[in-house]
């Protein structure tokens, strides 16, 4: 037997905003607590509803593609995302995902009866026969996946949105590459340059007083692709250092088709680095902490700056090329 369907789609939406909490252990009476969801859930809700609109009945090698009715049964009434085992149900047949079961303190958000520890094996079995489109279908992924493979694919789908690569602040914007290029230019005032060679000067007064600093990101259009040049000051253990590195606006598999070199110097000395740009799938902090770039001790950077070593005046030059 499948669990009893929810009363209506409207009721599901309303219940998603309320958590039922028992007044006392073992009691059957629950009180309403209004809950605010984080912004990330909005994306999940929107994409889940998108999935419902494009599903259809069809026979495939794994079973049937989801009809709207079955798909709705697989949505958690609290967080409205698709449920994966273990799927729980109350004695009246209302289902709930395992995360939300903890959040509602074991009290059914639909009928207020205590959930207990009943597992909805029938619904889990039905889910095995379903095939669903990737949630990133509108971004270009047109593959269909068995229900239990869909989530794993979406976490690594090459069409999933990229995070904004800007390092000067924690920016929450996501999107495809053309959108992010426009966003960097319009919202972060990032410098955009055409060409595969560059020569940038980084200046900082009183560098001894700065242990952590991030300079403005620079983006290069090269070979029809975009590359982000980073320059930061940070602590490597107890030693103050500067690091410069390049990130590629695209997938890691594409980034490996390119190489780049960085160089600093002065007074007859030269310090060089050659490597492969990292994909922006890796955060700038992850790349920085892995020291995958040109790492310059502060004393050496000030030596290259000349003068009395009281001001940083470091020139970083480099080039990007495509591997054959």
């Amino acid at each position: 037997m499948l669990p009893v369907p929810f009363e209506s789609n409207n009721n599901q939406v309303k219940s998603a905003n309320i958590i039922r909490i028992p007044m006392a252990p073992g009691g059957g009476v629950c009180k309403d607590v209004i809950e605010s969801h984080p912004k990330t859930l909005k994306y999940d809700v929107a994409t889940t509803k998108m999935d419902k609109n494009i599903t259809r009945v069809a026979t495939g090698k794994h079973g049937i593609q989801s009809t709207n009715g079955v798909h709705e049964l697989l949505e958690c009434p609290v967080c409205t995302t698709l449920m994966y085992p273990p799927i729980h149900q109350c004695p009246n047949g209302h289902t709930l995902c395992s995360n939300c079961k903890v959040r509602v303190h074991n009290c059914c958000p639909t009928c207020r009866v205590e959930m207990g520890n009943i597992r909805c094996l029938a619904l889990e079995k039905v889910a095995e026969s379903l095939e669903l489109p990737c949630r990133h279908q509108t971004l270009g992924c047109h593959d269909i996946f068995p229900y239990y493979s869909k989530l794993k694919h979406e976490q690594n789908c090459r069409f999933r949105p990229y995070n904004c690569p800007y390092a000067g602040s924690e920016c929450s914007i996501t999107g495809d590459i053309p959108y992010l290029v426009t966003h960097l230019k319009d919202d972060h005032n990032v410098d955009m340059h055409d060409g595969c060679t560059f020569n940038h000067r980084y200046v900082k007064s009183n560098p001894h007083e700065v242990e952590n600093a991030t300079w403005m990101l620079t983006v290069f259009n090269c070979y029809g692709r975009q590359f982000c040049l980073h320059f930061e000051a940070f602590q490597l253990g107890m030693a103050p250092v500067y690091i410069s590195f390049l990130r590629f606006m695209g997938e890691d598999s594409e980034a490996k088709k390119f190489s780049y070199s960085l160089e600093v110097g002065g007074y007859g000395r030269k310090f060089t680095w050659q490597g492969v740009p990292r994909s922006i799938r890796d955060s700038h902090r992850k790349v920085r902490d892995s020291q995958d770039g040109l790492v310059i001790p502060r004393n050496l950077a000030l030596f290259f700056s000349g003068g009395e070593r009281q001001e940083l005046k470091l020139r970083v030059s480099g080039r990007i090329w495509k591997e054959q």
Side-chain angles (χ1 to χ4, degrees), residues 85-318:
I87 299 176
H88 301 277
Q89 71 174 31
C90 76
N92 291 325
H94 302 119
T95 54
L96 197 65
C97 76
S98 56
N99 288 336
C100 290
K101 182 175 183 287
V102 175
R103 292 164 61 191
V104 300
H105 297 270
N106 205 37
C107 185
C108 177
T110 304
C111 66
R112 305 190 183 191
V113 171
E114 288 205 26
M115 294 288 296
N117 292 303
I118 306 172
R119 187 166 169 178
C120 189
L121 299 176
L123 189 56
E124 291 179 11
K125 194 67 177 178
V126 169
E128 288 182 2
S129 66
L130 299 181
E131 292 181 330
L132 300 174
C134 173
R135 67 186 290 182
H136 306 305
Q137 187 179 56
T138 57
L139 298 176
C141 185
H142 302 296
D143 293 330
I144 304 295
F145 297 92
Y147 185 83
Y148 292 134
S149 301
K150 177 176 178 286
L151 184 62
K152 183 177 180 179
H153 160 78
E154 290 172 347
Q155 292 172 345
N156 298 287
C157 177
R158 66 187 184 93
F159 292 100
R160 70 191 188 279
Y162 294 91
N163 294 322
C164 173
Y166 189 73
S169 61
E170 295 297 328
C171 181
S172 60
I173 294 297
T174 63
D176 59 16
I177 299 302
Y179 175 80
L180 289 181
V181 170
T182 301
H183 164 68
L184 288 170
K185 182 179 179 181
D186 295 344
D187 298 331
H188 293 299
N189 298 315
V190 166
D191 291 333
M192 301 282 179
H193 297 275
D194 294 324
C196 299
T197 60
F198 49 89
N199 194 330
H200 276 257
R201 192 182 188 202
Y202 298 96
V203 178
K204 183 67 178 178
S205 59
N206 301 320
H208 292 282
E209 299 177 2
V210 178
E211 303 298 340
N212 293 279
T214 301
W215 276 257
M216 178 64 73
L217 182 72
T218 305
V219 175
F220 298 97
N221 296 306
C222 176
Y223 295 103
R225 307 306 297 265
Q226 289 73 41
F227 299 82
C228 301
L229 178 63
H230 295 263
F231 187 78
E232 297 187 31
F234 74 109
Q235 289 284 124
L236 185 57
M238 297 298 294
V241 298
Y242 297 95
I243 185 171
S244 184
F245 56 88
L246 209 64
R247 283 199 296 164
F248 174 75
M249 296 187 70
E251 292 298 305
D252 182 64
S253 58
E254 298 175 280
K256 291 177 179 177
K257 299 176 182 178
F258 299 91
S259 294
Y260 74 102
S261 64
L262 297 173
E263 180 181 301
V264 295
Y267 301 98
R269 281 82 167 177
K270 187 183 295 183
F271 204 32
T272 62
W273 159 267
Q274 180 175 319
V276 176
R278 295 278 287 270
S279 166
I280 60 171
R281 293 290 188 199
D282 291 333
S283 68
H284 85 282
R285 185 181 298 274
K286 180 178 179 178
V287 179
R288 184 199 71 184
D289 292 347
S290 68
Q291 304 171 44
D292 191 4
L294 177 64
V295 180
I296 315 162
R298 185 165 68 186
N299 286 338
L300 183 59
L302 294 178
F303 174 79
F304 288 147
S305 299
E308 299 297 325
R309 301 190 182 188
Q310 299 301 312
E311 184 178 26
L312 178 72
K313 294 180 180 179
L314 197 63
R315 188 175 297 276
V316 178
S317 59

Side-chain angles (χ1 to χ4, degrees), residues 49-61:
K49 292 182 177 179
M50 174 199 73
D51 286 351
K52 287 195 297 184
N53 292 333
I54 60 178
T55 52
R56 58 194 182 280
V57 179
T59 301
K61 64 180 180 179

